[in-house]
Structure formats: C-alpha cells, structure tokens
Amino acid sequence: DNQVKIKLECSLEDFEVPWRKTYEKHGVEPTHKLSELKGYEEKLEGGVKFHAAYFKGEPISSICEFNADSDKCRLLYYINTDPANKHLQSLSLLISMYVSECNRQSVKAIDFGTSLLSSQPNLNQEGIIRFKENIGCSSYYRDKTEYKLML
C-alpha cells in the first residue's frame, strides 16, 4: 500500500520511531526521555496523546499533544518526521488531519510550541519556524538577557 495513513491516538512506541530519527538527524537530545513521556501519559490520564502518519505500515511522522484544557487549548510539544520520507509530506497531512479533528471538537486554540533561535545550534530552527508559519501559526520572538549581580 503506497498511501500515507494517519492514526490519531497512536502508541508511544509508534510515536518514538520518527521522534528518535528527528533528533538523531540534528545530533541533539530531546527535552524529555521516553520514560518521562510514558509517565506523563499514565499520570495525566488522557492529558498526553500521540499521533502518527504511516507509510507501508511504518510510522514516519509523529506529534505529541498535551491537552491543557479539553475544551480550550491543545499544546503540540514534539513535531517529528523521518528525514528519509520527508518527500511524502506526511507531517503536513498529519497536522492537517489533527487540526481538522480539533476544529470538529471545537478546540479554541492549538499551541505549536516555542522555537528557540539559539538554544541548540544544530537544530534547524529556521525550518521549524517556517513550517509553523506556513500552516498559519503566528510567531513571536523574544530575546534572552542574562544579568550577573555583583554583591
């Protein structure tokens, strides 16, 4: 079967496959360990969900959703795609289907997360920001200033 298939609410194991490949590509560690995401999934009872796009039965894109308030706001913390299958645009399809489902559920806002411009120099921040803006997100930039007090 040569079609991309979307599964809203997939397993953590399926979410992990493109998640690992995304971070391996950029040579950085994700903010959370897999065990932490599993703990959130268990403790927050529906407050954390994973969604994936599949090609030939294999997960190739995934997102992690934190449900801040079931009627009002959803937060996407991880937005991942397998670099080898980027040409299939599975991440765009996954997010499109996810947004449609949120609209169907009358969700008021979807937060696509913060993209830091200088947090990890190997991460493709410009690409992430461009992707978010291309799907209609607004970008807000902030500067980080550090002060050392000499007492």
Side-chain angles (χ1 to χ4, degrees):
D1 189 5
N2 288 332
Q3 294 184 346
V4 172
K5 306 236 189 244
I6 301 301
K7 184 174 182 185
L8 298 178
E9 297 192 41
C10 71
S11 69
L12 176 60
E13 291 76 19
D14 283 358
F15 163 81
E16 179 188 12
V17 174
W19 180 65
R20 289 251 180 249
K21 290 179 180 181
T22 296
Y23 282 89
E24 286 171 4
K25 173 188 171 188
H26 296 293
V28 296
E29 291 295 317
T31 302
H32 299 92
K33 292 181 173 81
L34 193 64
S35 60
E36 292 173 314
L37 291 175
K38 184 169 186 60
Y40 295 147
E41 182 182 34
E42 291 168 358
K43 290 177 184 170
L44 297 177
E45 297 181 29
V48 178
K49 295 179 183 170
F50 306 101
H51 313 287
Y54 299 80
F55 183 66
K56 296 184 178 179
E58 296 297 318
I60 59 171
S61 293
S62 63
I63 55 178
C64 173
E65 168 196 329
F66 285 86
N67 189 343
D69 181 331
S70 62
D71 293 334
K72 296 180 183 162
C73 183
R74 306 281 169 84
L75 167 65
L76 294 184
Y77 200 82
Y78 290 106
I79 300 172
N80 317 291
T81 195
D82 178 352
N85 290 299
K86 188 177 178 180
H87 66 283
L88 296 172
Q89 293 293 309
S90 60
L91 184 58
S92 298
L93 180 60
L94 174 59
I95 288 177
S96 175
M97 304 260 318
Y98 173 78
V99 169
S100 294
E101 179 61 18
C102 287
N103 282 335
R104 192 188 68 72
Q105 295 176 14
S106 301
V107 171
K108 306 283 186 248
I110 302 170
D111 183 338
F112 282 81
T114 302
S115 298
L116 304 175
L117 290 173
S118 62
S119 66
Q120 297 172 329
N122 295 329
L123 199 58
N124 178 15
Q125 292 93 351
E126 281 187 34
I128 292 168
I129 291 168
R130 192 174 315 113
F131 176 81
K132 291 176 182 180
E133 289 177 343
N134 284 341
I135 60 171
C137 296
S138 298
S139 295
Y140 298 94
Y141 298 93
R142 63 179 182 205
D143 289 327
K144 176 182 170 186
T145 304
E146 185 176 317
Y147 294 98
K148 292 184 181 185
L149 299 177
M150 305 290 271
L151 300 176

